[in-house]
Amino acid sequence: MLPVLLALAFAALAAPWCVRVFGRDAFFGLALVPAAGLLWVIANWGSTQQVRIEWAPEIGMNIDLRFDSLAAIMASLVLGVGALILAYCARYFENDEPRLGVFAGLLTAFACVMFGLVTSDNMLLLFTFWELTTVLSFLLVGHYADRPDSRRAAIQALLVTGAGGLAMLVGVVILGEAYGSYLLSDLLAASDVPTGTAVDVAVVLVLVGALSKSALIPLHFWLPGAMAAPTPVSAYLHAAAMVKAGVYLVARLAPVFSESPLWHPLVLGLGVTTMVLAGIRALQVTDLKLVLAFGTVSQLGFLVLLVGIGTPGAALAGMTLVVAHSLFKACLFMVVGIVDHSAGTRDLRRLSGIGRREPALFGIALLAALSMAGLPVLLGFVGKEAALGAILDAGNLTGISRILLCAGVVAGSTLTVAYSARFIWGAFAAKPATDGLGFADWHRPGALFLAPAAVTALAGLLGGLAAPWVDGLIRPYAETLPGEAPEHLALWHGITVPLALTAGIIAAGAAIFQYFGRGGESTRSLLGNADRVYDATLRGMDRISLRMTGSVQRGSLPLSQATILGTMVVLPAVILATGTRTGVELRLWDSPLQLAIGAIMAAMAISATVLRNRLASVLVVGVTGYGSGVLFAMHGAPDLGLTQGLVETLTLVVFVLVLRAFPAEIEESRTASFKVRRALLAAGVGVTVAVLAGFAIAARTAEPIWHLIPAAAYDGGGGKNAVNVLLVDIRAWDTLGEVSVLIVAATGVASLVFRNRRYGAAPRAADSPDYNPDLPSWLPAGRLVASEKRSMVLQLTTRLVFPTIMVLSVYFFFAGHNAPGGGFAGGLIAGLALTLRYLAGGRYELGEALPVDAGHLLGAGLTLAAGTATTSLLLGAPPLSSAIIEFTLPVFGQIKLVTALFFDLGVYLIVVGLVLDVLRSLGARLDMELGDTTDDESETATEGSRA
């Protein structure tokens, strides 16, 4: 399983490059990957295999894959139909199709995540793949991003299925905690099934996710809207892949939860309602894709109904129809794509005579449509016969329920026959009133264009003829449900009630088509106008959000801060007053020096509130930060103290850079007088933080974890500096998340400052038209600084000190695993060295000091940090775990290398890139705005030439 998943992922990553090199023919090569995966599924059919990769076992977050009978059925559809759709794309698209490489990667990635979804045993992993299908569907439906209808459809699909997925996540967590395991295999094997309100609510929430993904009423409307996507997307995602995820989940959980009190009312009620109402709507639209779309919604209601009944017979019939539906609906969508591609329209009112013009295409479509209608001798007929018999024999339903359910299915099946006939008539029949319209420039489809659709149509025919063989493939899953073994699949069971019902369905469906199926577009729908409800819901949410935002965010920074800080004071105080309290023992200080430092910090904080000089205020605030660093160091945390000091220094530099654009003094009109309320709020925040800290410390009853960290750091992470090992090993995921946020923040700030173009390395001194190499200077770009602002002493000092600081930076980087330092501290020191070069030589000196784009450094650092996690995983170790390598080198002696060093190197590069981005945006760009040196146009031209 894992090799198949990884091969699909690799193919998705390589797809853009393949399309760039081979053009649209690259789709044929990409199709070989899911085809090879299908061969693996066939070779292992009937076996049960499991794969486990530990990720976070304490919270149940492991990569658990399981291949069984149900996974085999779904995986064969995902991979088989996926391979055919990829081959179909090779002739559907032209080589000049925009973003074709990205499209190929996304479609291949969808096959990957769908395979991961149907083979996931861990429900949390399943949810991860579930949401990936939502995101990829959004990107694929919105492929034509320049079209408003595509953007709307993509957002609609994302919101509806994404909201359903979030509801499903809550249900998954409740079930996992109730069962004591997040493994589906444990749920299915549990002998003591938990009951109660919580479990019932969880089942409903999971069903909400499944029904939203499979587009059942009232969450059906996103699927017809998604027909704005390219036809291959409709043929795969909305026929054989994404919408089948909900059907799969219902089928997977039915053996356990079909007896839940809310299961049958939801699954059966919504299923039969969807089947009937969507079938009626399919007779009212004139776009061939919409006919198939509403037909898909109708069929999905039927499929969910069958797999949700919870009997072996219904499961066998349901999975047979799942296979049949994937084949005939993928085929019909491909046929529509061929018609649209060749005639330039999908409007059945304009199409006429294509059956005579393209008999091969007509034959392919007819086979698929007959299977959809449930006519002999196709697989759709076999599944429909089995479904009617299973409903009539469902022992877990009451007699009246069986009759009502059967009546609803008969009505829905009758409509299926009618809209199947409408599709064939609309696409291929000769219509004298419109003969010749819509395809004056008909492009005859080639054999390679027809082949994928032909394969799916013939598969539906062969499946019906070989019904006993299909029975042998699907029966193992059906027998996992409680109850008597179902009757075998066959084309002929004699004269039976299901056969009589089938004959009536065909006759009634033909009559409905004859009298109602040839009409034009109708806006009247029993489904209601779901799009209007969707739009009204979004407008209502917008109004609520605007009112909430307007009440608490009025553009006043003091008001916003007061709201946040007031909540911080009131909420903990109320909880502390009403909750359990423990005694607090306070020790004011360990040495008089702490008291002196605290007094200085307090004095500086008070000074910041009364000083009018902006720079002075920043400096006194900085003193409070340095005081915190000293206190950290005195309490045995030199690493923390070092980092605090470096961060405070860099923050001061950033403030100074920004303050250059402000007046030195705060204007008299902006000087705030003493505000009692603000003073009380500030005092309340300080007291709240101190009190909460005291109670938090006093609430500890177990041995503090820090007693174990030094030994764990050395034994597991190979380092004596517990702080650094925590950052790059024990809690490396936190660090990875934090540096990712840093990169996003840096990119956002720089993008705001660089209003036009922000990419490219900093300009070199020689790029300036004012550069004169004969002027005396200690720095390469120092000659470009105006003479009245040039300091030869600062330049000389910088030239002497810069190499020393960089060596110190490298030392802290390497020494950090066993002594104070590390990648973060080393990167900050290197950043300060770059800052010194900038202050001494101006913005062109940045290009001389580090002629690299800041974005490249940020990307390289993130790649190194994330690559460490991936490498560990590929080597069979937990992600971001460290390997210790010891060896001896001449001169150097014994060397101990910990692989966490590469993660730390990523952090180092990210910090350096962040500082460089800040210096370029808040420093160099501001220089340009203030008119210190070269104008904006020359800067932009230089950046463009270097980008």
Side-chain angles (χ1 to χ4, degrees), residues 837-900:
R837 288 284 292 265
Y838 162 72
L839 295 175
R843 76 173 186 272
Y844 284 100
E845 190 64 27
L846 290 175
E848 301 297 330
L850 194 60
V852 180
D853 182 18
H856 293 168
L857 284 176
L858 293 170
L862 186 61
T863 301
L864 265 175
T868 306
T870 307
T871 304
S872 302
L873 186 62
L874 293 177
L875 294 177
L880 288 175
S881 60
S882 297
I884 302 174
I885 305 171
E886 297 189 39
F887 53 90
T888 303
L889 289 177
V891 179
F892 292 97
Q894 185 74 13
I895 301 295
K896 180 180 180 180
L897 177 65
V898 182
T899 54

Side-chain angles (χ1 to χ4, degrees), residues 769-848:
D770 300 327
Y771 178 70
N772 184 356
D774 297 327
L775 288 177
S777 176
W778 289 101
L779 296 174
R783 302 174 179 87
L784 297 174
V785 181
S787 57
E788 66 273 11
K789 297 181 179 180
R790 190 184 309 157
S791 171
M792 298 302 291
V793 174
L794 180 58
Q795 289 189 15
L796 175 60
T797 304
T798 300
R799 181 158 187 169
L800 294 174
V801 173
F802 178 79
T804 305
I805 299 178
M806 290 304 299
V807 171
L808 182 65
S809 167
V810 174
Y811 165 77
F812 272 112
F813 166 69
F814 280 106
H817 212 57
N818 293 297
F824 193 74
L828 287 173
I829 294 173
L832 291 173
L834 291 174
T835 303
L836 185 61
R837 288 284 292 265
Y838 162 72
L839 295 175
R843 76 173 186 272
Y844 284 100
E845 190 64 27
L846 290 175
E848 301 297 330

